[in-house]
Amino acid sequence: MQHRVIVLGAGYTGAIAAGRLAKRLHREDVAITLVNAEPDFVERVRMHQLAVGQDLKPRPFSEMFAGTGVELKLAEVTGVDVDRRTVAVIDGNGAEELEYDTLVYALGSGWNAQGVPGTAKYAHEIASRPGALRLRERLGRLEAGQTVTVVGGGLTGLEAAAEIAEARPDLDVALAARGDLGDWLSPKGRGHLRKVFDKLGITVHEHADVTGVEADRVTTADRKAIPAAVTVWTTGFAVHPIAKATALEVTGPGQIVVDGTMRSVSHPDVYAVGDAAYAMGPGDKPLRMSCASGTPAAWQAADAIAARLTGGKLPNMPIRYFQQCISLGRREGVIQYVTADDRAVRAALTGQLAAVYKELICKGAAWGVANPTLGMPTRRRRVARERATAGSAVKTLA
């Protein structure tokens, strides 16, 4: 019988893990099923571009996985039973239960309303394609002079504010941040960020802790009202809730606790990658939710699964950071170089060259999904016949 591998979620990490496994393992020995609700790959790092009316290149999975042996199942995941090793899904034909021997959980994250009153009702999110498209439609109906307020001073908030201000100079764009603008960046990075925001006419509200969202404004903890015909909420991400409802060991927010090979510490036949995983990085700090963390984690998980199934050597590739890439519209950017544990150093690349650099990073990330071994030649190895999970002992090789 084939070893059944099910990958849940086809974002950057899930798609990379599925494709890399297909490159590492012999097709006769494994059945790799990738479960996803949408038929094409979504470049999540470009949702702020989609929101302002830019059209993104279609990337259908039918082309991406053609001839690889990866089977795409278009369905929504509704539950996981890690004791019975089953996944519950629903598609156009109704509910179904899938059985697995190894599970790769990559359902990722969505926007986090933080429990702030009015956010779910009035605010827009750009953590998903449907959210970005709804914002796109709403921005298209705004008249000149109306205010768009972006809440959140992290990477997503900075990129969204700059993109909207550049695309719609007729609007009044504002950013509300809890701390100082770009306070985690180096002095050079912060200086350039302020320069670009000033040039784009973005009003910055610093030390603004937003505690309420209404139809035409946001309010802060100090009772200040900030006008907002449209509110864009970018204050972090919340992990998909399914893992928290299982017997897996998870953190309080619901991330699956994994070891250095991205394998669950409580259920060795389950791996988690991307935003769904709680993994430790350099300096004993948890890896942050990001493509920068997720992509090498997907490589690590796929290579570990392949090694355990074939009796090969386990990967030992510590995940570390090199830079934070921030687009500030289409013509400006900041590339903040960082330490291995993600702390800013003095060096930063700014301006148009940084914008080009960021664009290359985005294109490279999408290319990496379609080329999960980065173009390097690979040999598909045979899987041990007598085993129940990727963590059990190898007895015989086919």
Side-chain angles (χ1 to χ4, degrees):
M1 293 181 60
Q2 289 180 307
H3 188 91
R4 299 161 300 182
V5 179
I6 293 180
V7 181
L8 304 182
Y12 288 95
T13 59
I16 287 173
R20 195 171 176 98
L21 280 168
K23 292 279 190 178
R24 293 278 190 255
L25 300 171
H26 203 284
R27 293 184 192 177
E28 293 181 6
D29 299 337
V30 293
I32 302 172
T33 303
L34 179 61
V35 182
N36 198 59
E38 297 187 72
D40 55 326
F41 176 67
V42 177
E43 291 185 83
R44 187 171 178 178
V45 297
R46 294 189 187 271
M47 289 301 96
H48 54 288
Q49 295 177 238
L50 184 65
V52 299
Q54 298 171 34
D55 293 323
L56 304 183
K57 179 182 177 181
R59 299 181 185 276
F61 288 123
S62 59
E63 296 179 7
M64 189 176 294
F65 291 115
T68 65
V70 175
E71 178 188 354
L72 178 67
K73 184 170 185 61
L74 293 177
E76 179 183 354
V77 180
T78 58
V80 175
D81 189 327
V82 292
D83 295 321
R84 295 177 52 241
R85 293 181 187 165
T86 60
V87 175
V89 301
I90 187 167
D91 58 17
N93 298 318
E96 185 180 355
E97 195 170 74
L98 310 176
E99 297 181 344
Y100 67 82
D101 297 306
T102 297
L103 180 71
V104 180
Y105 187 103
L107 290 179
S109 62
W111 75 312
N112 189 352
Q114 306 281 2
V116 174
T119 303
K121 183 176 182 180
Y122 296 114
H124 288 265
E125 54 92 1
I126 54 172
S128 67
R129 179 161 58 182
L133 289 173
R134 284 191 292 269
L135 177 58
R136 176 176 178 154
E137 190 274 335
R138 182 68 183 94
L139 290 175
R141 291 189 283 111
L142 286 183
E143 298 178 355
Q146 291 188 282
T147 300
V148 176
T149 296
V150 178
V151 180
L155 297 176
T156 304
L158 299 180
E159 293 192 329
E163 202 74 48
I164 295 169
E166 182 184 86
R168 290 291 306 272
D170 59 320
L171 299 176
D172 290 333
V173 179
L175 178 81
R178 281 187 175 177
D180 293 325
L181 180 65
D183 55 10
W184 75 95
L185 298 172
S186 67
K188 181 179 180 180
R190 288 197 304 271
H192 190 74
L193 176 61
R194 286 190 180 276
K195 177 182 175 181
V196 174
F197 269 42
D198 287 344
K199 184 172 66 174
L200 291 172
I202 300 171
T203 301
V204 179
H205 301 275
E206 297 178 292
H207 304 284
D209 185 6
V210 175
T211 55
V213 180
E214 300 177 39
D216 60 352
R217 74 193 68 187
V218 301
T219 55
T220 63
D222 58 2
R223 298 184 179 180
K224 179 181 179 181
I226 301 174
V230 171
T231 299
V232 184
W233 194 265
T234 68
T235 62
F237 301 106
V239 295
H240 199 288
I242 283 181
K244 200 169 185 178
T246 70
L248 290 164
E249 182 175 335
V250 298
T251 62
Q255 287 179 293
I256 299 171
V257 182
V258 297
D259 63 16
T261 64
M262 303 297 125
R263 184 166 67 167
S264 163
V265 298
S266 63
H267 291 72
D269 50 353
V270 176
Y271 291 73
V273 292
D275 292 355
Y278 183 83
M280 301 307 293
D284 288 327
K285 293 167 59 177
L287 298 175
R288 63 177 165 90
M289 294 183 181
S290 65
C291 189
S293 306
T295 295
W299 297 337
Q300 191 92 319
D303 291 353
I305 292 169
R308 289 186 170 111
L309 285 172
T310 62
K313 183 179 179 181
L314 283 174
N316 182 21
M317 181 183 66
I319 297 175
R320 58 152 297 163
Y321 298 100
F322 297 93
Q323 62 209 0
Q324 293 182 12
C325 303
I326 310 169
S327 66
L328 301 173
R330 296 299 87 205
R331 296 182 291 274
E332 288 279 0
V334 173
I335 308 300
Q336 177 62 64
Y337 299 109
V338 298
T339 60
D341 62 350
D342 210 28
R343 291 176 290 113
V345 299
R346 291 177 58 87
L349 180 67
T350 61
Q352 188 173 6
L353 186 57
V356 172
Y357 190 112
K358 172 63 188 291
E359 178 61 21
L360 291 175
I361 290 291
C362 291
K363 287 182 177 179
W367 180 86
V369 173
N371 299 271
T373 58
L374 305 181
M376 300 294 290
T378 59
R379 180 167 68 92
R380 292 185 175 91
R381 298 184 179 276
R382 302 307 299 260
V383 174
R385 291 295 187 191
E386 298 180 23
R387 61 189 304 135
T389 71
S392 59
V394 177
K395 293 185 180 180
T396 60
L397 293 178

